């Protein structure tokens, strides 16, 4: 598979903190790629570098071979990189329809109502289009944010902790949703729920102290001694 996004030597320090410290990374076309690591490992900073929310101090990011290292976030969105819960956020006083419509309009969709209906159907929110976003349950608001991301028609969708706050039944629905998006959409999944990551991911990258600790299939990551010691030990071992 060809790399959709490739990063070489990405670095971002905050004072003395090496949040991202020389990270190499590849996101291959049509895959679901999990990004895991202990709290403070640098995951959020890393995906903020990929999405353009935080500038890179050193290193190179390419999208389908094009250097996007210094491209701002809104231009990366236009090129097909959507970062949900960062690029998108729910407007609580607007309707569900209007929230998704704003995302569709931002990329110049020709038939906005059709795009909204498609995105809401994908996440299972059909029939809630007239509801005020702020009145939805927390889980439904998370799904609305995913719908807003999908309305951008991204080639790469970065999902940051998407199952947080979802009930177990909703998580099953979410996993089915993610599987339905590939291979048309390539997924980067930042997730603390190990069952979700191990079940969905084709490959997993483990960050620790701002560096790549391991990359591999779920089985390879489960068996990796360094990963077990740093992250999967104890309560996580069965996950």
């Amino acid at each position: 598979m060809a790399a959709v996004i490739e990063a070489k030597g990405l670095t971002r320090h905050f004072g003395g903190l090496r949040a991202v410290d020389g990270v190499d990374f590849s996101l291959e076309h049509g895959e679901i790629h999990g990004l895991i690591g202990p709290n403070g490992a640098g995951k959020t900073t890393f995906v903020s570098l990929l999405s353009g929310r935080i500038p890179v101090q050193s290193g190179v990011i390419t999208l389908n071979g094009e250097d996007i290292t210094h491209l701002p976030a809104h231009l990366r969105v236009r090129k097909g990189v959507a970062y949900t819960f960062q690029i998108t956020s729910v407007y609580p006083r607007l309707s569900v329809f209007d929230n998704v419509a704003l995302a569709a309009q931002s990329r110049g969709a020709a038939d906005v109502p059709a795009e909204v209906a498609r995105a809401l159907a994908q996440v299972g929110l059909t029939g809630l289009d007239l509801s005020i976003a702020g009145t939805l349950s927390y889980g439904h608001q998370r799904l609305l944010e995913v719908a807003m991301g999908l309305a951008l028609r991204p080639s790469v969708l970065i999902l940051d902790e998407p199952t947080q706050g979802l009930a177990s039944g909703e998580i099953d629905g979410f996993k089915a949703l993610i599987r339905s998006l590939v291979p048309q959409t390539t997924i980067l999944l930042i997730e603390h729920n190990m069952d979700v990551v191990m079940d969905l991911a084709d490959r997993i990258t483990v960050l620790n102290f701002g560096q790549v600790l391991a990359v591999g299939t779920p089985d390879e990551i489960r068996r990796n001694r360094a990963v077990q010691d740093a992250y999967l030990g104890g309560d996580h071992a069965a996950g």
Side-chain angles (χ1 to χ4, degrees):
M1 287 188 291
V4 179
I5 290 181
E6 195 155 16
K8 295 285 189 186
L10 281 199
T11 300
R12 179 69 204 206
H13 298 171
F14 298 98
L17 174 65
R18 298 183 175 189
V20 174
D21 193 18
V23 168
D24 292 343
F25 175 81
S26 70
L27 184 63
E28 296 177 352
H29 176 75
E31 75 170 336
I32 301 174
H33 195 119
L35 181 66
I36 66 173
N39 288 330
K43 302 185 298 294
T44 296
T45 301
F46 173 69
V47 295
S48 294
L49 296 176
L50 289 186
S51 64
R53 292 187 64 249
I54 297 176
V56 171
Q57 279 176 314
S58 63
V60 176
I61 304 169
T62 58
L63 175 66
N64 296 314
E66 177 188 353
D67 189 337
I68 61 166
T69 309
H70 302 293
L71 212 59
H74 71 278
L75 293 182
R76 295 190 199 192
V77 170
R78 288 186 192 173
K79 288 185 176 291
V81 180
Y83 182 10
T84 70
F85 317 137
Q86 302 293 341
I87 294 296
T88 61
S89 58
V90 164
Y91 299 96
R93 296 183 181 180
L94 296 182
S95 69
V96 167
F97 179 93
D98 286 344
N99 269 270
V100 182
L102 285 171
Q105 287 168 345
S106 74
R107 67 166 182 83
D111 187 345
V112 170
E115 289 294 302
V116 172
R118 180 191 64 85
L120 291 179
Q122 281 185 286
V123 302
L125 294 182
T126 298
L128 294 178
D129 49 329
L130 298 182
S131 299
I132 300 302
T135 67
L136 297 179
S137 69
Y138 182 75
H140 279 169
Q141 289 189 36
R142 302 293 281 195
L143 293 174
L144 174 57
E145 288 174 316
V146 175
M148 293 167 71
L150 293 175
L152 296 168
R153 292 266 185 174
S155 58
V156 175
L157 184 59
I158 303 174
L159 296 168
D160 198 348
E161 300 291 344
T163 68
Q164 183 180 325
L166 297 187
S168 56
E170 292 174 320
I171 289 175
D172 289 339
F174 168 79
K175 290 194 291 189
L177 162 64
I178 294 306
R179 290 192 184 101
S180 75
L181 299 179
V182 294
Q184 290 83 1
T185 307
T186 301
I187 306 290
L188 176 57
L189 180 66
I190 302 94
E191 180 59 69
H192 274 108
N193 186 322
M194 283 297 97
D195 290 336
V196 170
V197 174
M198 294 294 181
D199 196 21
L200 282 178
D202 300 301
R203 290 193 301 151
I204 297 171
T205 293
V206 186
L207 290 184
N208 197 33
F209 297 113
Q211 297 181 327
V212 175
L213 181 64
V215 181
T217 65
D219 282 344
E220 289 168 342
I221 294 301
R222 277 196 189 95
R223 294 195 301 264
N224 187 298
R225 178 62 63 184
V227 175
Q228 290 175 5
D229 291 344
Y231 187 50
L232 294 181
D235 293 341
H236 291 289

